[in-house]
Amino acid sequence: MRVKILAAVTSVLAIAPLAFSGFAMAGPRAVLELFTSPFCSACPPADALFTELARSPDLITLVMPVDSMDRPGRTDPLAKPAFTDRQAAYAERRNSDMLFTPQAVINGAAEAQGSDADEIREGIAQTLNVLTVPVDAKAAGKHINLSVGGAGKAAAKTGVITVLPFMRDHTEPLRGGRSAHYANLVRDVIPVDTWNGEPFKARLLRQDFAQYDGIVVLLQAGTNERPGAIIGATRIEFAKSGRS
């Protein structure tokens, strides 16, 4: 997916207004990423756990189906190479060959078995102080305005800003009458810009995300190819007109 990033000095394109509003959450305690697959026998418990965790207002949960378990005649239509690449990049950043499903990555800095609530809780405790840079996203008319604070006391002074559009709830039919249910199912990983430790602002077109339930904005140490600790994050959900 490609999105148009509008700087404050650029002209505003003529776009029909969209029939939904957006609201952002306060700063999260942790960002939890789950790398999963419907072809992994241990993954359904992890999917269910992340559905429960998604109800916690101080957590941002993200589910990314990987294509590493796809085989000829057995492919997951929700899996994307970008998700598999992201999982592999985390392992490379940690100089680790541990690549498994279901795998949870906590704040970009710790890993856990995706179905193990205790391991995830421990990972949150280990990385509790990494989210130090304020990140904000607000829907305003035809746009989404992003704002990232300065480095301050953050350990990382440079990084990348990434947007991940998601579906709040999705059930995917599987063979044999089974189905897989996901909460906060990510549909893309979209680089926005680099960050040099100074306050940053950007403007996105809301139209680019009209088919999604919301977006997560991550400020992450490292690069897009080698993502490190997540040092700032926010989520904005789109409330469509006439929907509670």
Side-chain angles (χ1 to χ4, degrees):
M1 173 185 177
R2 299 181 65 181
V3 301
K4 187 178 290 297
I5 301 168
L6 304 177
V9 297
T10 60
S11 60
V12 177
L13 300 181
I15 305 169
L18 300 178
F20 56 80
S21 59
F23 58 91
M25 61 175 286
R29 180 164 56 103
V31 177
L32 310 178
E33 299 174 64
L34 176 66
F35 298 97
T36 185
S37 169
F39 310 123
C40 154
S41 61
C43 286
D47 302 336
L49 174 60
F50 266 68
T51 296
E52 292 294 324
L53 293 172
R55 299 190 178 104
S56 300
D58 59 346
L59 299 177
I60 291 178
T61 63
L62 299 165
V63 176
M64 296 183 223
V66 295
D67 65 357
S68 52
M69 299 192 70
D70 285 2
R71 300 291 183 269
R74 189 192 77 177
T75 59
D76 178 7
L78 299 177
K80 296 202 172 187
F83 304 156
T84 309
D85 292 345
R86 184 171 177 84
Q87 184 187 23
Y90 275 134
E92 182 180 353
R93 180 84 180 187
R94 295 190 306 271
N95 296 315
S96 170
D97 58 0
M98 293 296 291
L99 206 62
F100 56 90
T101 52
Q103 183 174 30
V105 175
I106 300 105
N107 288 329
E111 66 180 10
Q113 179 73 23
S115 58
D116 193 320
D118 289 336
E119 280 192 15
I120 292 173
R121 189 178 300 111
E122 182 179 344
I124 293 174
Q126 290 173 354
T127 61
L128 198 56
N129 298 318
V130 300
L131 291 164
T132 56
V133 179
V135 176
D136 188 44
K138 285 187 172 64
K142 302 170 185 176
H143 305 108
I144 301 170
N145 295 323
L146 307 185
S147 175
V148 177
K153 296 181 179 180
K157 306 301 181 184
T158 60
V160 290
I161 301 162
T162 307
V163 166
L164 296 89
F166 65 88
M167 306 301 295
R168 191 178 295 112
D169 290 286
H170 181 83
T171 299
E172 184 69 16
L174 303 174
R175 288 183 177 180
R178 298 182 302 118
S179 62
H181 177 261
Y182 304 112
N184 299 336
L185 175 70
V186 177
R187 300 318 305 136
D188 209 345
V189 180
I190 304 167
V192 173
D193 212 330
T194 56
W195 175 75
N196 64 2
E198 298 296 323
F200 173 91
K201 293 184 184 298
R203 177 177 286 178
L204 309 179
L205 289 171
R206 286 175 64 173
Q207 179 172 279
D208 288 335
F209 304 98
Q211 68 269 46
Y212 304 117
D213 292 322
I215 62 171
V216 167
V217 184
L218 298 181
L219 172 63
Q220 198 154 12
T223 65
N224 292 313
E225 293 74 24
R226 296 193 70 195
I230 296 169
I231 56 177
T234 194
R235 177 178 64 227
I236 180 170
E237 296 189 0
F238 305 136
K240 293 184 180 180
S241 298
R243 189 171 97 185
S244 58

